[in-house]
Amino acid sequence: MLKYVLKRLLLMLFTFFVIITICFFMIRLLPREMPQDKNLQAVIQARWDALGYNQPIIVQYGIYLRDIFTRFDFGTSWKISLMKPAAEVMGERILPTVIVNLYSLIFSIPLGIGLGIYAAIKKNKWQDHVISTIVILFVSVPSYVYAFLVQYIFYFKLRWVPTNVMYSLADAGGSYFTGKMFVSMILPILALSFGEIAGLCRFTRAELTETLTQDYMLLARTKGLTKSQATTRHALKNAMVPILPMIISSFIGILGGSMIIEQIFSIPGVGSLYIMSINQLDYDIFMLDSIFYTLIGLTAGIVVDISYGFIDPRIKMGQK
């Protein structure tokens, strides 16, 4: 197990280095624009010289890596927040992203698993058919379509949500954990939840349905256990082995957020920041966001793989 983990970590670091290197060289080859404000031009030019912008690109890459490892300096924002450190700009946007996605998972996980268990128990009955049809519909529709639907139904038609969406700390009373802030997050939470609920429901139903047909379930019934007892004590325990890593991956992925949903609902998160950095050609912000998303994706993959071995000791990772 230790050998497998070390091997995966080395491969992850190599992949991470390759992706970041490609992103750096591609972004630094693009032209740069000096702001029109003459008072700032000298300051910005000095900062560019410190970052080695006038030197060969391989030297720029070396300076960039040196600044990251020695000073934790990921560069400077030139457009979104002029002359503000890139790490500080991004740090301000992580919490809104995490909160919206965390609320979405807290709502989605129990509902998705519960519907999946109910559909598996009612296999081939009308309840199963209804749930399966709804799941197929929800899985097939992109999340941004749900965003427009919930806006139309709950805001335009029913008027259940306020007209102003309070993503400002000042408007919410100085905290993201207030009633006003939660109400303003209901629509993006719903838009993010539908797909997650459908995916968990479908996966849970498939795993539990297969588990319920195993020989040990028949043995449990012959020993005198009722169907509900056998399902709770044996089937659910074994069906959760592949489901729990999926949940772990979802919790890791909450840091990444959703670019489209954040853009639609004007959430000041890392997803919308990524799109802004591309549109406004804010190169250092783009690089930091690329590093962030790459690290989240690679970490989620390795954590999910390793979690199988911890959840079920019978699974030996790395063996042939």
Side-chain angles (χ1 to χ4, degrees):
M1 186 69 174
L2 179 60
K3 182 179 179 181
Y4 174 80
V5 172
L6 292 175
K7 181 180 178 181
R8 286 300 307 272
L9 286 174
L10 289 175
L11 288 173
M12 185 189 79
L13 291 175
F14 176 74
T15 306
F16 177 76
F17 178 76
V18 170
I19 294 174
I20 297 307
T21 302
I22 293 173
C23 289
F24 181 88
F25 278 83
M26 291 179 66
I27 199 69
R28 285 296 176 96
L29 290 174
L30 295 174
R32 298 186 307 276
E33 294 181 0
M34 180 68 73
Q36 299 297 323
D37 191 344
K38 294 183 178 180
N39 296 326
L40 291 174
Q41 288 181 0
V43 178
I44 293 175
Q45 186 62 52
R47 176 63 173 160
W48 284 0
D49 293 340
L51 294 173
Y53 278 19
N54 298 321
Q55 300 187 42
I57 192 168
I58 190 67
V59 177
Q60 297 181 34
Y61 189 47
I63 295 173
Y64 186 74
L65 293 179
R66 181 201 64 192
D67 290 343
I68 290 177
F69 289 114
T70 59
R71 298 186 295 174
F72 202 67
D73 183 3
F74 290 89
T76 305
S77 173
W78 306 111
K79 299 290 182 65
I80 298 173
S81 297
L82 186 61
M83 296 300 294
K84 196 172 184 179
E88 187 176 336
V89 174
M90 188 169 179
E92 295 172 352
R93 291 174 171 264
I94 290 179
L95 190 57
T97 291
V98 170
I99 290 174
V100 172
N101 286 271
L102 184 60
Y103 279 137
S104 173
L105 285 179
I106 291 173
F107 175 71
S108 304
I109 290 173
L111 192 56
I113 293 177
L115 287 173
I117 293 172
Y118 184 72
I121 295 174
K122 299 292 184 179
K123 182 183 177 182
N124 294 330
K125 296 183 179 179
W126 69 268
Q127 297 96 327
D128 179 31
H129 295 315
V130 170
I131 292 175
S132 298
T133 302
I134 295 174
V135 163
I136 292 173
L137 177 64
F138 279 11
V139 168
S140 304
V141 178
S143 59
Y144 62 84
V145 176
Y146 296 129
F148 296 130
L149 286 176
V150 295
Q151 280 182 325
Y152 178 76
I153 295 172
F154 295 105
Y155 167 64
F156 182 73
K157 282 294 186 181
L158 300 177
R159 299 290 180 179
W160 286 359
V161 293
T163 55
N164 57 329
V165 182
M166 297 180 183
Y167 291 111
S168 169
L169 282 177
D171 294 337
S175 174
Y176 282 105
F177 301 96
T178 61
K180 289 183 179 180
M181 184 64 77
F182 178 76
V183 170
S184 70
M185 291 180 179
I186 287 177
L187 295 186
I189 288 171
L190 290 176
L192 289 169
S193 296
F194 289 133
E196 190 74 25
I197 291 171
L200 279 171
C201 179
R202 182 176 62 173
F203 197 63
T204 303
R205 181 197 176 278
E207 292 297 328
L208 187 56
T209 300
E210 182 180 355
T211 305
L212 289 172
T213 59
Q214 297 297 318
D215 292 338
Y216 63 82
M217 289 298 296
L218 179 61
L219 178 61
R221 294 297 302 278
T222 57
K223 287 182 176 181
L225 294 179
T226 64
K227 185 177 181 180
S228 59
Q229 289 175 332
T231 301
T232 305
R233 297 181 186 180
H234 299 286
L236 279 178
K237 182 179 179 181
N238 288 279
M240 284 296 125
V241 172
I243 295 173
L244 286 178
M246 181 179 178
I247 296 174
I248 293 171
S249 175
S250 297
F251 270 101
I252 296 174
I254 65 176
L255 292 172
S258 173
M259 298 182 194
I260 299 176
I261 295 297
E262 289 184 8
Q263 194 72 10
I264 292 173
F265 291 100
S266 301
I267 302 173
V270 291
S272 59
L273 181 66
Y274 205 11
I275 295 177
M276 288 173 61
S277 67
I278 296 171
N279 291 335
Q280 299 184 28
L281 299 179
D282 202 332
Y283 303 140
D284 288 343
I285 297 292
F286 171 81
M287 273 302 302
L288 180 55
D289 251 321
S290 299
I291 291 173
F292 180 77
Y293 277 110
T294 303
L295 192 60
I296 290 295
L298 293 174
T299 303
I302 190 172
V303 170
V304 168
D305 285 349
I306 295 172
S307 64
Y308 281 103
F310 289 103
I311 294 171
D312 190 348
R314 295 173 298 177
I315 300 175
K316 301 297 182 182
M317 308 302 295
Q319 289 191 350
K320 295 182 180 180

